């Protein structure tokens, strides 16, 4: 579970934080409803309920974006060059990941996990487990991409074989026509 959290990108962290804060706001909102329902009229209750829900959602979203941005930009980091070289040597890095790294596109590769590893100098149990998680995830993606490429090649071969069969049939038909014509 911690690897999943450490591997989140910025926008995923923002959405997760918003969801958590909205959940907390909803619990607070339901608690307020329980306390207030007996004290006021139904119309006042409904208007107050809508206003409270709206305000709590807006506050939750603003807090999530603010705190997530601060935390993410302080602690997130991209993978080290040694790690990228290791992935290249093992041939398990995908092209999107590599080009993002080479172009310094931090939105695709910056994670809290690499930030944690950078702080710990790539030592420690959490960092070690996170790197294993990333490697396993990249290997899985690499295998899936290879499988898709193989399936695509197989489909292309089948299509080529079908075309060759059609051409062969056309040639046979032409030869038959020529033979029939020459007989007459």
């Amino acid at each position: 579970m911690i690897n999943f959290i450490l591997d989140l990108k910025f926008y995923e962290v923002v959405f997760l934080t918003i969801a958590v804060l909205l959940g907390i706001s909803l619990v607070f909102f339901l608690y307020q409803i329980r306390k207030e329902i007996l004290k006021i009229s139904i119309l006042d209750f409904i208007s107050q309920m809508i206003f409270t829900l709206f305000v709590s959602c807006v506050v939750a979203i603003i807090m999530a974006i603010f705190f997530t941005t601060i935390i993410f930009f302080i602690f997130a980091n991209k993978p080290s060059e040694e790690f990228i070289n290791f992935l290249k040597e093992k041939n398990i890095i995908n092209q999107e990941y590599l080009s993002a790294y080479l172009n310094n596109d931090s939105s695709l590769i910056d994670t809290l996990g690499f930030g944690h590893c950078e702080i710990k100098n790539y030592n420690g149990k959490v960092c070690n487990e996170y790197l294993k998680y990333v490697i396993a995830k990249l290997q899985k993606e690499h295998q899936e991409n290879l499988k898709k490429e193989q399936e695509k090649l197989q489909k292309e071969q089948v299509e080529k074989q079908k075309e060759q069969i059609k051409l062969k049939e056309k040639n046979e038909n032409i030869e038959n026509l020529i033979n029939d014509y020459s007989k007459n």
Side-chain angles (χ1 to χ4, degrees), residues 72-146:
F72 201 84
F73 286 110
I74 289 174
F75 294 109
N77 207 345
K78 67 181 184 177
S80 70
E81 190 172 339
E82 292 85 15
F83 184 69
I84 294 294
N85 290 334
F86 169 79
L87 295 176
K88 279 196 255 182
E89 287 173 11
K90 297 292 183 179
N91 196 25
I92 55 174
I93 190 167
N94 63 27
Q95 193 58 40
E96 178 186 15
Y97 199 83
L98 181 60
S99 62
Y101 179 79
L102 295 174
N103 295 330
N104 286 326
D105 186 0
S106 60
S107 65
L108 292 175
I109 58 174
D110 280 7
T111 65
L112 294 173
F114 288 121
H116 174 77
C117 288
E118 186 71 29
I119 291 170
K120 298 288 186 176
N121 283 334
Y122 284 82
N123 293 320
K125 182 179 179 183
V126 173
C127 180
N128 189 22
E129 293 297 319
Y130 176 70
L131 294 177
K132 286 179 186 177
Y133 170 82
V134 170
I135 291 169
K137 185 175 100 174
L138 289 173
Q139 284 176 330
K140 183 179 177 184
E141 288 175 9
H142 183 68
Q143 293 300 324
E144 289 172 359
N145 288 340
L146 286 176

Side-chain angles (χ1 to χ4, degrees), residues 16 19 29 37 41 46 51-52 61 73-74 77 94 99 105 115 117 132-134 136 139 148 162 164 177:
L16 182 65
F29 173 71
I37 198 163
S41 71
I46 291 173
F51 177 75
T52 304
I61 290 170
F73 286 110
I74 289 174
N77 207 345
N94 63 27
S99 62
D105 186 0
C117 288
K132 286 179 186 177
Y133 170 82
V134 170
Q139 284 176 330
K148 287 178 184 177
K162 287 180 182 178
Q164 288 176 349
L177 285 173

